[in-house]
Each structure stands twice: as C-alpha cells, then as structure tokens.
Amino acid sequence: MGRRLSLLAALLVLGGCAAARPAAILEDAVIAGEAVWSGEVRIRGIVTVKKGGRLTILPGTRVVFEKLDRDGDGIGDGELLVEGALVAKGRPGEPILFTSGADRPARADWKFIYLDFAREGVLEQVVAEYAYSGIQVHFCAASITDSVFRHNVDGVRFSTARVEVAGNRIHDNTHGIRYEERRGSGRVHHNDIVGNDVGIFVVTRAEDRTSIEENNVTGNLRYNVKMGLDQAGDVTFPRTWWGTVDPAEIAGTFFDKTFDPALGRVRAPEPLAAPVAIDTWRHAQGGSGI
C-alpha cells in the first residue's frame, strides 16, 4: 500500500494496539461517520470531516501534516476541514500536537484546522504550530482553551463565529489573534498574547461585539493591536495587561486612527497593573461557556 492507506485501513490502525504501531497515513481522506485518532497520524492533502461525521482525537496524539504545495502559492496544502464535529481534548502532560512534517519546519508548512459551518468544535490542551492558521473558525461556534499556538502566520483566526478563546498561550506568530466580526461575537479572555509580530489584528467589520478582556497583550514586536484598512469603527479592550499602565505608552503600541484617520480607535480602559494568571480562568469565570 506504500504511503497511501484507505480511510478504513487507517481507522483500523488507529483503533488497534498502541504499542509500537506505525503512523497512519491519510491522503485526501473523507470522514463521514465516527472516527477516533490516537498515536501518530500523518496527513497528505486534505482530511474532511463531513456534516454527519465526528472526529475524536485522543490525548497525546501527534497529527503531522506532510509539507505539500500543489498550487505553488507558498502555503502548504495540508488541512483538517471540519464540517461536522471535532473534539480534540488533550490533558496535562499529553497535549494533542498538530505540526509540520518538514525536516526544517517553518510558518505555513501546512494550511489550517478549519471549522466551517461545523456542528461542534472543541479544542482543549492542543498545540498547533507551523501552520498558515493554527485554527480558523467560520460560521459556527467553537471552544478553544488551554492550548498553545506558535510559529504560525495566524495563531487563532475567526469570522462570523461565536467563540470562546481562553487560557491559551499564543506566541511567536505573525498575528496572534486575527478576526473579522461580521456580526459574530464571543469571549476572548485569560490568554497570553505575547511575542507575536502583531498581537491582535482587527481586520474589518468589527462592531465591538466580541468581549476581549483580561488578557496579557504585551511584547508584540510591531503592534499589540493593529486595525485593518477597512476597520472604521472603534474597538475596546478593557482590563488588559499591556506591560504598563501609562496611557501614552499603551496607545503607542496600537495602529489605529492615530496613524490613519480613516480607521477607528483602539480603546483600552481600566488597564491592569499586573499580568493575568491565565491558568485560573475556569475558576475565575465559573467554568467554560460560549
């Protein structure tokens, strides 16, 4: 069978004994029913979870996207496209890893985990690295918690969605969080958004409906917050740790109306005097929920 396995054969491998088994290899596969991944899964191309399908990924699983660029656009073509349900829940000491299979991994080696009109999306205790987008959520609800997004172009990206993004470490990406509201909403809280080129990129059509507060947004190389070219409305990030409480210093880390009068303004009321302890978010918020 070489490097190709049918989906049925792959699932048999995934459901078998965990001792010293080879990695399962999926190439442009479709999941239409129930599937469970464990061990190491190598993806070449696109794996699609159809509307009636459900993919559960067990703690400690490694999902490795082989570097493949069929259209030559410089972005890897490997992706996990979810139209049905995805439940990826790691646990302390056994996170679920989504990564590049390249010998020398780099940003955009693979494309993304993409939730598109998905029935269910739960990511907890995962690590997503070396992607174009660690996770994208569109036209659905999703919970993304206690995870790490690093070395991606976009760490977490969403549009027209209802999301909770909490307890995550989002660092060393081009954009830590990139979003377009487009009448979506959600809660982004208790995250470390540090050491990215841009911490939060408000691309367009944000109406200040998404609650983004009680995060650590500091040490981002270009801007802590950047407004996109068509973002004319103001956005508000209250009760945030910016690395300082000085209003002028805080404002100096924003790209907004100060630089371009066509843009809205980034408002930062009630800045915090110390970093947020992101590991306490469940206790502080009384549990998760979107």
Side-chain angles (χ1 to χ4, degrees), residues 261-288:
L263 300 178
R265 191 174 299 281
V266 178
R267 299 181 298 207
E270 304 175 63
L272 298 178
V276 175
I278 70 169
D279 295 330
T280 64
W281 74 269
R282 290 183 186 273
H283 175 74
Q285 301 297 311
S288 63

Side-chain angles (χ1 to χ4, degrees), residues 78-97:
E79 67 176 86
L80 177 58
L81 171 60
V82 181
E83 300 167 351
L86 170 66
V87 177
K89 298 175 94 171
R91 56 189 173 216
E94 291 186 285
I96 296 166
L97 176 65

Side-chain angles (χ1 to χ4, degrees), residues 187-250:
R187 299 173 62 232
V188 178
H189 60 94
H190 289 81
N191 301 283
D192 275 340
I193 307 169
V194 302
N196 305 282
D197 292 351
V198 174
I200 301 173
F201 186 17
V202 190
V203 181
T204 186
R205 299 192 186 182
E207 301 167 330
D208 221 12
R209 294 161 54 98
T210 300
S211 170
I212 303 179
E213 61 181 292
E214 294 188 274
N215 299 286
N216 302 319
V217 187
T218 183
N220 295 290
L221 304 180
R222 295 181 61 197
Y223 303 103
N224 281 335
V225 181
K226 180 181 179 181
M227 304 285 253
L229 294 179
D230 296 319
Q231 180 55 42
D234 295 349
V235 291
T236 309
F237 302 104
R239 294 174 292 283
T240 298
W241 168 243
W242 303 103
T244 178
V245 294
D246 182 271
E249 290 184 19
I250 294 170

